[in-house]
Amino acid sequence: MPLTHPRPRSAARLFATALAAALTTSLAVTAATPATAAPSPHTAAVTTPVGQQNWKVPRLAVMPLGDSITWGAGSSAKDGYRIALRDKLTSHADSLQFVGSLRQNGADHEGHSGWQISGLSENIEHWLPAAGPNVVLLNIGTNDMDLNNDVDGAPARLGHLIDQITRAAPDMTLLVSSLVPSQSAEVQRRVEKFNAEVPRLVAERRSKGFKVGYVDMSVVTPRDLNDRLHPNDSGYAKMANAFYEGLARAAGNGWVRERVDIKPAPPHETPLGDYQVDINGDGSADYLIVDDNGAVRAYINKGGDGHGTWDNKGIVATGTGAPGSRVRFADIDGDRKADYLVVEDNGAVHAWTNSSDDTKDGWKDRGIIATGTGAPGNKVRFADVNADGKADYLVVDDNGSVHAWLNKTSGTKDDWDDRGIIATGTGAPRDKVRFADINADGKADYLVVQDNGAVHAWLNNGGDGHGDWTDQGQIVSRASEPGAGIRFSDIDGDGRADHLIVHDDGAVDALLNKGGDGHGGWTDYGRIATGAGPGYQVRI
C-alpha cells in the first residue's frame, strides 16, 4: 500500500527561530482579550532572576503531560524531572500536588511511554476533569519525530492538542516545551524542524488571551542523554529547572489561579474497528477490556452469565506503548485467533500475532503489515469479505463507501490485493456502518445502525463488481438503545453474528441471531456480562 503524501511545509518556519528568541527574552506579546492581559511568563516582565523570586500561590495542582520523557525513562530513579521540580516548588505553594491518572514515586502524572501527540489528544479531555490541575506542563512529539510520523503535520497536531486544553479550561496555565535533542542525526533534524514551530503555536494562542507559555529545552544537550531519545539525570535536572522558571514567571505575572473550571469530558467514542474478538480460537467471541495504555484483560467465553460463565484470564497483553484507542483485534493469519493490531494515524498497521495456547499467553511481533493507503486510521476497519478466514483491510469513507484490500498474507510474507470500491454506500455516514457475518457464509455483511437502534443489512455476495449485495432489509427493530452501544459478534459459535448492546458500565445484553427480523428472528439471551470495565474499553 502506498504511504500518505507529506503535507506542504509551512512558510511560518522562516521566522520561527527569531520568534523563539523573542519569546524567551524581552519581547512581550500582548493578549488581544482582555486588553490588559498579563505578559508572557517567558518575557522579562520581572527584573530579578527567576531563582531569586519570592513568589507564592495558594495552590499548585501540576499535571506533567507527555510520553516516556515525562514518565522518566532514562533517569536512575525513573521519575524524570518530576520529583526535582516538586522539590523546587514546595516552598512556593500552600498546597502542592502533582496530578494525573498514573502514579509513580509519589508524584502523579500523565507520562505515557511510547505515545505520540494524537494519543494525548484522544484522552486529554477525560484526564483534565478527572485530575483537576491548574497547571499543565506539556512535552510531547519525540515519538512522532522518532517514528517519522507525518513530521510536517506534527505542529498542527500539537496545536490541536493545545486547543483542546484551552477549550476545556480557558483559565488553565499551560506551559508547552520544545523537545530535547536526539543522538540520532536523522531524528535530530526532525526535532529541530518541529521545535522551530512551537514558539509560533504558543504565540498564536497567547494572542487570543490564553495563558499558554513557551519553555525552551535547548539547555539539554546530547551529552545530557541516557540513550538516543531520553535524558539522563543531568538532563532531567535541566528540564526541572526550565519548567520551574516557566512556572515561576507565570505565577509572578498572575497566571496561576487557585481553582480552574474544567468542562466535563465528552462521551468516549465506541470502538467500531474490531472483528470477531475470539482470542482462543473456539469460535465464540470473548470479552476483553483494553485499558487506556493498551493493556488487555481477557474473559474467555464459556457461555456468558446465565448460560455458562466467563473464565478470567487476567492480563493477556501488557500493551505496546500505543494508547488503547488505537488497538484493534482481527485474525490476520487465518488461525481463528484474534491478533493484536495497532493502527497509526496514517492507517499503517503494526501486528502482534496471537500465539497463545491453553497454558500460556503469547504474542509474536509481526511488524508493520500494512503501510497505509492515504486514509487516516479512524477510517480503517477489518473484516473478512471473501470468506478465506483472514481479516481484510477496509477503508470506510465519510459517505459509507468501502474500499477493500484483500489479505493475501502467507507465512511471513504480507501482501494485500487492491479490490477497489466494493460498496458505494447507502447514504448512511461512516460511523453508522458495521461489518459482521449475519448469515454464516463466512463473508462479512454490510450493516447500517440507525439512530434509533434499528439495523438494516446488505448481504455480501462479493461486493460491487464482484457479485453485488443483497438488500436484506431491516433485520433488527429493537429501538430502546442508541446505535453507538450496538456491537455484532458471534457469542454462541454458530457462525452468525449476534446482536449485542454494550452499556456504559461494560454490561452486555445479547440477542442470538436466528436469521433476523423476517428471516428467523432473534432469541433474547438476556444479560451475558455484568461488566468488568467502562463500555468504551470493552471489545467483544
Side-chain angles (χ1 to χ4, degrees):
M1 297 181 185
L3 288 169
T4 306
H5 293 295
R7 297 175 183 165
R9 297 183 62 182
S10 169
R13 295 195 189 96
L14 297 177
F15 63 86
T17 302
L19 181 58
L23 284 168
T24 54
T25 55
S26 61
L27 178 61
V29 180
T30 303
T33 55
T36 58
S40 162
H42 291 279
T43 66
V46 290
T47 58
T48 55
V50 171
Q52 298 175 18
Q53 292 179 37
N54 188 25
W55 61 275
K56 194 164 187 177
V57 295
R59 174 178 178 265
L60 280 176
V62 180
M63 174 185 281
L65 176 63
D67 49 34
S68 57
I69 292 176
T70 298
W71 182 88
S75 61
S76 58
K78 305 303 180 187
D79 54 23
Y81 69 78
R82 291 177 287 106
I83 301 304
L85 176 60
R86 185 190 63 185
D87 293 343
K88 287 177 175 291
L89 295 175
T90 299
S91 63
H92 294 284
D94 296 327
S95 171
L96 171 65
Q97 61 182 145
F98 277 45
V99 299
S101 64
L102 304 178
R103 186 167 183 81
Q104 187 179 358
N105 292 346
D108 294 352
H109 63 96
E110 293 293 357
H112 297 265
S113 182
W115 283 33
Q116 300 176 47
I117 298 168
S118 58
L120 299 188
S121 285
E122 291 165 7
N123 293 278
I124 188 61
E125 291 167 331
H126 295 269
W127 291 333
L128 286 174
N134 58 2
V135 174
V136 173
L137 308 179
L138 178 59
N139 176 274
I140 190 65
T142 294
N143 290 311
D144 298 75
M145 301 303 106
D146 185 44
L147 298 173
N148 197 20
N149 176 26
D150 186 16
V151 173
D152 285 334
R157 295 196 297 276
L158 178 62
H160 173 67
L161 174 58
I162 294 172
D163 292 340
Q164 287 179 287
I165 296 172
T166 57
R167 279 197 303 268
D171 289 324
M172 185 76 70
T173 296
L174 170 60
L175 302 183
V176 184
S177 80
S178 59
L179 302 181
V180 301
S182 171
Q183 292 179 348
S184 163
E186 184 178 1
V187 175
Q188 178 59 18
R189 285 191 292 270
R190 300 176 198 143
V191 167
E192 292 171 355
K193 185 177 183 180
F194 178 83
N195 280 348
E197 294 289 329
V198 179
R200 174 183 61 81
L201 297 173
V202 170
E204 288 174 351
R205 275 71 186 175
R206 192 167 56 246
S207 71
K208 298 176 181 178
F210 295 114
K211 300 170 183 177
V212 182
Y214 172 72
V215 175
D216 186 357
M217 288 295 173
S218 63
V219 66
V220 182
T221 71
R223 286 183 292 183
D224 294 314
L225 299 182
N226 184 64
D227 54 33
R228 62 196 297 269
L229 297 176
H230 303 97
N232 55 26
D233 288 344
S234 69
Y236 279 119
K238 292 179 178 180
M239 290 188 71
N241 284 333
F243 274 130
Y244 168 78
E245 292 175 2
L247 187 46
R249 288 179 176 134
N253 287 311
W255 279 23
V256 180
R257 293 198 176 182
E258 184 174 0
R259 299 289 172 182
V260 173
D261 291 332
I262 302 174
K263 294 178 181 177
H268 275 286
E269 291 186 6
T270 302
L272 303 177
D274 294 314
Y275 162 68
Q276 192 56 27
V277 181
D278 176 10
I279 64 168
N280 66 343
D282 65 355
S284 300
D286 302 307
Y287 182 109
L288 309 183
I289 295 291
V290 182
D291 292 332
D292 289 341
N293 66 355
V296 181
R297 290 174 282 146
Y299 300 80
I300 303 301
N301 183 357
K302 301 297 183 182
D305 294 357
H307 308 278
T309 187
W310 300 93
D311 181 10
N312 186 353
K313 298 286 287 185
I315 295 177
V316 298
T318 56
T320 66
S325 55
R326 293 190 185 176
V327 175
R328 314 278 185 86
F329 293 91
D331 180 10
I332 63 164
D333 55 3
D335 66 353
R336 294 173 57 88
K337 293 183 289 190
D339 304 305
Y340 184 111
L341 313 179
V342 171
V343 181
E344 301 292 350
D345 290 338
N346 64 355
V349 182
H350 193 140
W352 285 261
T353 53
N354 184 348
S355 58
S356 57
D357 55 33
D358 291 337
T359 61
K360 65 178 179 64
D361 302 315
W363 304 93
K364 180 179 179 181
D365 189 345
R366 184 69 175 255
I368 300 296
I369 63 168
T371 55
T373 67
N378 62 2
K379 292 187 177 183
V380 175
R381 308 280 186 89
F382 298 93
D384 182 6
V385 297
N386 64 342
D388 65 354
K390 292 180 289 191
D392 304 306
Y393 183 109
L394 311 180
V395 170
V396 185
D397 213 343
D398 293 337
N399 64 356
S401 67
V402 182
H403 193 138
W405 285 261
L406 299 186
N407 183 351
K408 297 298 183 181
T409 296
S410 177
T412 59
K413 179 179 173 56
D414 300 312
D415 191 20
W416 304 90
D417 178 19
D418 187 347
R419 189 84 168 203
I421 299 295
I422 64 166
T424 54
T426 66
R430 168 168 50 93
D431 64 347
K432 303 297 183 185
V433 175
R434 308 287 192 276
F435 297 94
D437 180 10
I438 62 168
N439 62 345
D441 66 353
K443 298 190 293 278
D445 305 306
Y446 184 109
L447 312 179
V448 171
V449 180
Q450 308 292 343
D451 288 336
N452 64 359
V455 181
H456 195 129
W458 286 261
L459 298 184
N460 181 357
N461 297 314
D464 292 359
H466 307 280
D468 211 354
W469 302 87
T470 298
D471 188 344
Q472 191 83 338
Q474 182 170 293
I475 63 166
V476 179
S477 58
R478 192 175 192 177
S480 59
E481 298 288 341
I486 293 176
R487 318 276 182 92
F488 289 90
S489 206
D490 182 7
I491 63 166
D492 59 352
D494 66 354
R496 290 180 292 201
D498 303 305
H499 179 280
L500 310 179
I501 293 177
V502 180
H503 297 272
D504 289 342
D505 61 357
V508 181
D509 298 327
L511 296 177
L512 294 189
N513 183 356
K514 301 302 179 182
D517 292 0
H519 306 279
W522 301 87
T523 297
D524 191 343
Y525 219 45
R527 177 144 299 181
I528 63 168
T530 54
Y536 78 93
Q537 291 184 340
V538 173
R539 313 296 175 87
I540 188 169

